[in-house]
Each structure stands twice: as structure tokens, then as C-alpha cells.
Amino acid sequence: RPHDETATAVRLREHAPEKISIGRRAAEMVLPGTTIILDSGTTTLAVARRLKAIPKITVVTTSLPIASELFGIESIDLVLLGGRLRKDAPDLIGAITDQNLDVFHTDFAFIGADAIDDSGRLFNAVPDLARMLTRMARCAAAAYAVADSSKIGRHELMQFASAADWQGL
């Protein structure tokens, strides 16, 4: 839908240099043969764009834009988790997604946050999405929050993690 594409395009332009830098830093940790789970968001899309150059990786995601970005790259094994398409964003969520998450184990999770308070608690504005992000982090040996500076010092409706419990921000 044009409205959703426009909203995503606008968010992609906001803090674009920071997102590019975050994507580069995240990709530096990924070696060939690594498995990664990415949530849906513009910062994780920036991560996905940097992963294209790394051969023989597996990327698991709920994001249609990330799937589209990585589609057709021969050296990337792409897994789309399935589920119900959200009405307000181009990504998947719900019971099917949750059930599929229960069977995965990845090396890394790169997960965005709508807000990170001064105590390092990670928040999302959508409760169902927050619950799913918690599950994604549990799938990974190492979970990293990926968020630009505009998210720091804020909070949203639902806490889904604490940066202290993860490997980095």
C-alpha cells in the first residue's frame, strides 16, 4: 500500500547516517556461516543491506522489506518466519510467527527498539510486537539492540528487554 511504503521511506531517511553506521558495525560481527535473526524496522533493514556482502549466512526475519532486500542473493539462505501481515507495517506477527520462533536458534539477533530509557530498558509501542521481540532475542546466542540516538532516554508502552541482559547496543 502506498501509505505504508511512504511511512517506511520517511523513517528510512530519518537518522540515515546513524542507521548506516549501525548496519556497518553489526555486519562487522558476522562471519561466513553465521545465522542471524532480524526484526522488522528501518535500522535492521540497514543491517540487512550490509549483510549482503557476507557469504554463506542464514538470515531469519519477519520483515517483508528485509526479505525483499535479500531476495535473490545466492550466498544468503533467507527464512521468512510466516504469520499474519500487520495492517500498519510490512511485517509478520502473531501465533504462527511465535510458534515458528520456538524452533530456531541463531548466532545473533539484531533487534530494534522504539525507545530505550535511561536504565537501558528496551521498549516497543505495540504489545504483540514487544512479545515477539522477546522471543526473537531468546532464539539467539547473542542479542544486540540496534537503535539510533533518537530512541535513547525515552520509553514506550511495553518493555520487552533490558540492555543489561543482552550483549550490546
Side-chain angles (χ1 to χ4, degrees):
R1 293 171 25 206
H3 174 70
D4 291 339
E5 292 170 357
T6 302
T8 299
V10 168
R11 287 194 347 265
L12 274 169
R13 287 191 302 273
E14 294 172 344
H15 308 282
E18 289 177 276
K19 291 175 185 181
I20 291 167
S21 179
I22 291 165
R24 182 175 35 254
R25 178 63 187 108
E28 288 172 356
M29 293 187 272
V30 177
L31 300 173
T34 301
T35 57
I36 304 116
I37 193 163
L38 298 173
D39 85 301
S40 60
T42 55
T43 306
T44 50
L45 180 56
V47 173
R49 289 178 171 158
R50 298 302 288 206
L51 294 175
K52 291 181 198 189
I54 304 169
K56 299 181 181 175
I57 62 172
T58 299
V59 177
V60 179
T61 190
T62 57
S63 169
L64 299 181
I66 289 173
S68 180
E69 186 74 29
L70 300 179
F71 175 75
I73 299 173
E74 193 63 33
S75 65
I76 295 179
D77 186 17
L78 180 62
V79 179
L80 196 54
L81 282 168
R84 179 177 42 84
L85 185 60
R86 289 177 56 197
K87 296 197 184 308
D88 60 343
D91 56 276
L92 305 167
I93 197 166
I96 295 168
T97 311
D98 291 346
Q99 184 177 9
N100 289 339
L101 279 167
D102 288 342
V103 300
F104 281 95
H105 177 78
T106 63
D107 298 308
F108 293 108
F110 295 111
I111 298 173
D114 289 345
I116 304 171
D117 73 7
D118 294 334
S119 300
R121 296 180 300 170
L122 308 172
F123 293 87
N124 192 279
V126 180
D128 288 341
L129 189 54
R131 185 191 72 242
M132 185 186 70
L133 298 177
T134 300
R135 290 177 97 109
M136 281 185 162
R138 288 183 193 148
C139 290
Y144 291 86
V146 291
D148 66 69
S149 63
S150 70
K151 310 296 175 77
I152 307 294
R154 298 179 39 224
H155 67 276
E156 278 292 347
L157 179 62
M158 189 165 185
Q159 178 187 341
F160 67 89
S162 174
D165 296 331
W166 289 13
Q167 281 62 48
L169 167 62

